[in-house]
Amino acid sequence: MAHTVGYAPGVYDLFHVGHLNILRHARSRCDYLVAGVVSDEMAQLAKGRAPVVPLVERLEIVRSIRHVDAAFVETVPDKLETWQQVRFDVIFKGDDWRGTPKGDKLEADFRTVGVEVVYFPYTVHTSSTQLRRALDALSGRGSRVEAPLSPPQTAPGTISP
């Protein structure tokens, strides 16, 4: 019986249920799951911005997920080069990659070494991008930073709400 090694790459920034779903589904499709945690530098190159959560913390979070057997720091943009180091049989991606130039290239590259590309449903209602936007909005990023509000003052003998 063949032992199937799966690989689930991602930035895993602002870890959320979509990340958990990918890892859970990936583990159900292989015998041994390696999560590839993209380095800060690679995330900057790929997404044009650095992750909110530093690599060492993202790695610790992903390593702690019960569905993950091992975590690997991904430091090169070429997935075939990563395959040379990890030697997986199947790679898992969100289905937002399916039918895109990046997804087509991934499939073509991995066809040459016999690696299957499996797509899982992308969690549309939750993404790190959406979480980042919400954090930016809450923090007022891009607008003037204001001093924290002091507690409301009440007249003696009154109860504050």
Side-chain angles (χ1 to χ4, degrees):
M1 186 163 95
H3 180 78
T4 305
V5 176
Y7 186 68
V11 177
Y12 298 109
D13 194 20
L14 302 171
F15 197 89
H16 56 77
V17 74
H19 295 134
L20 183 60
N21 287 340
I22 289 251
L23 295 170
R24 179 187 301 121
H25 293 307
R27 185 61 176 85
S28 75
R29 299 281 304 267
C30 63
D31 300 307
Y32 189 85
L33 179 63
V34 179
V37 181
V38 175
S39 71
D40 292 346
E41 299 76 19
M42 288 302 307
Q44 178 76 43
L45 276 175
K47 302 207 179 228
R49 63 184 182 276
V52 172
V53 179
L55 174 63
V56 68
E57 293 178 21
R58 291 183 286 119
L59 197 55
E60 183 63 25
I61 290 165
V62 171
R63 275 189 179 135
S64 299
I65 304 299
R66 70 179 169 157
H67 309 292
V68 174
D69 295 298
F72 172 84
V73 177
E74 198 172 290
T75 58
V76 294
D78 183 354
K79 296 285 189 242
L80 276 179
E81 197 173 324
T82 299
W83 175 80
Q84 291 286 346
Q85 298 170 334
V86 180
R87 293 296 175 151
F88 45 86
D89 305 297
V90 59
I91 185 169
F92 303 101
K93 294 298 290 177
D95 66 2
D96 56 320
W97 276 57
R98 188 193 311 266
T100 67
K102 286 193 316 188
D104 293 345
K105 179 178 178 352
L106 191 73
E107 290 175 37
D109 287 350
F110 280 122
R111 209 173 356 263
T112 67
V113 292
V115 171
E116 179 186 8
V117 177
V118 172
Y119 296 102
F120 290 128
Y122 180 74
T123 310
V124 223
H125 63 281
T126 305
S127 75
S128 297
T129 301
Q130 289 172 324
L131 291 172
R132 182 187 289 265
R133 283 187 194 130
L135 287 173
D136 287 349
L138 288 172
S139 71
R141 187 172 168 210
S143 63
R144 181 172 72 81
V145 177
E146 298 183 18
L149 297 174
S150 55
Q153 300 297 315
T154 57
T158 61
I159 298 172
S160 99

